[in-house]
Amino acid sequence: MKGNAIVIILPVVVMIGLFLFGYMSISQKESITNEDLQQLITITATEMNENTVEVNWQWGDFPEEGIQGNDYIELFLSEGEKNLNSVIERIEVSLWQGNQIVYESTEFFLSDKGIVIPIPNEMQDEQILGPSGQVTLHFPEYVSVATELRWRYYHTWEEHTINEDNGKNMEDRFIDEQIQSYWSVIGNL
């Protein structure tokens, strides 16, 4: 019986070692914060045809603090004289989880530069809204603004309300509402 003890002890020691190694590997995963997310987000704007532009975003990871509040995409034209709101025909917002659309909207409000589209960040049952989505802009046939189109993505991580009065700059809205937990990235087509 003493000679067979190694047959019992060795597999137990190996199982304990594998468990500890696995636990240490999982617990050493680097967690990210909402501030870190700015370095991990991917945003692209693509002209689908001469009358349609898509802006897509995908977070690279989920922040350890969770998600809440709203994000915003501000769309504007590089030339200050032309207002995006006057040349846009239709806006469609789709939020994705995997390959499934979990939220759709056509809501927007005006800013001093163009239009702002609110994007909810929240968990609803088993659906996560916000980390992946698309805004599709449709323009009339006679308008070509794609080369002038600019975007700014604002990420917030606290519950808040934004005054949607038309014509106000987003930075001023954040100051008015005393929202300090946000960052923004800017890009163009």
Side-chain angles (χ1 to χ4, degrees):
M1 184 80 167
K2 290 183 182 183
N4 293 334
I6 193 138
V7 174
I8 294 172
I9 293 173
L10 186 60
V12 170
V13 169
V14 169
M15 286 175 37
I16 291 172
L18 288 173
F19 174 77
L20 290 174
F21 177 75
Y23 177 76
M24 288 173 34
S25 295
I26 291 172
S27 65
Q28 289 179 356
K29 181 186 177 220
E30 191 174 314
S31 59
I32 68 158
T33 64
N34 278 289
E35 289 93 348
D36 299 331
L37 191 58
Q38 183 175 8
Q39 308 307 318
L40 300 172
I41 191 168
T42 302
I43 305 173
T44 58
T46 308
E47 185 176 12
M48 303 311 289
N49 59 48
E50 58 189 41
N51 305 103
T52 306
V53 174
E54 287 183 357
V55 178
N56 296 282
W57 69 94
Q58 175 73 46
W59 296 1
D61 206 343
F62 293 100
E64 67 181 15
E65 305 106 320
I67 58 175
Q68 61 181 342
N70 284 330
D71 282 0
Y72 301 91
I73 295 180
E74 182 177 27
L75 299 159
F76 54 96
L77 300 175
S78 59
E79 294 181 15
E81 296 104 36
K82 198 185 290 184
N83 187 331
L84 184 62
N85 187 47
S86 65
V87 296
I88 199 146
E89 190 172 82
R90 188 172 79 245
I91 298 173
E92 299 165 352
V93 179
S94 303
L95 301 183
W96 299 81
Q97 183 172 339
N99 292 332
Q100 180 182 12
I101 295 176
V102 293
Y103 174 88
E104 292 181 296
S105 173
T106 57
E107 294 181 31
F108 68 93
F109 57 91
L110 302 180
S111 72
D112 65 333
K113 293 183 180 181
I115 60 172
V116 178
I117 302 159
I119 310 293
N121 286 330
E122 61 186 49
M123 292 190 71
Q124 295 179 349
D125 299 322
E126 295 180 14
Q127 295 179 340
I128 302 172
L129 303 181
S132 178
Q134 173 181 310
V135 173
T136 305
L137 307 167
H138 300 276
F139 299 97
E141 288 184 28
Y142 61 88
V143 175
S144 179
V145 298
T147 58
E148 305 170 43
L149 187 65
R150 305 290 182 258
W151 53 261
R152 185 180 305 252
Y153 184 99
Y154 294 91
H155 175 67
T156 67
W157 54 92
E158 289 181 0
E159 285 296 327
H160 62 270
T161 56
I162 290 286
N163 183 350
E164 295 182 3
D165 289 343
N166 289 335
K168 198 166 193 182
N169 150 335
M170 284 301 289
E171 299 285 332
D172 290 342
R173 293 172 202 255
F174 288 146
I175 291 169
D176 290 349
E177 301 297 330
Q178 299 178 351
I179 299 169
Q180 297 176 357
S181 301
Y182 76 94
W183 50 256
S184 68
V185 292
I186 191 167
N188 56 21
L189 188 60

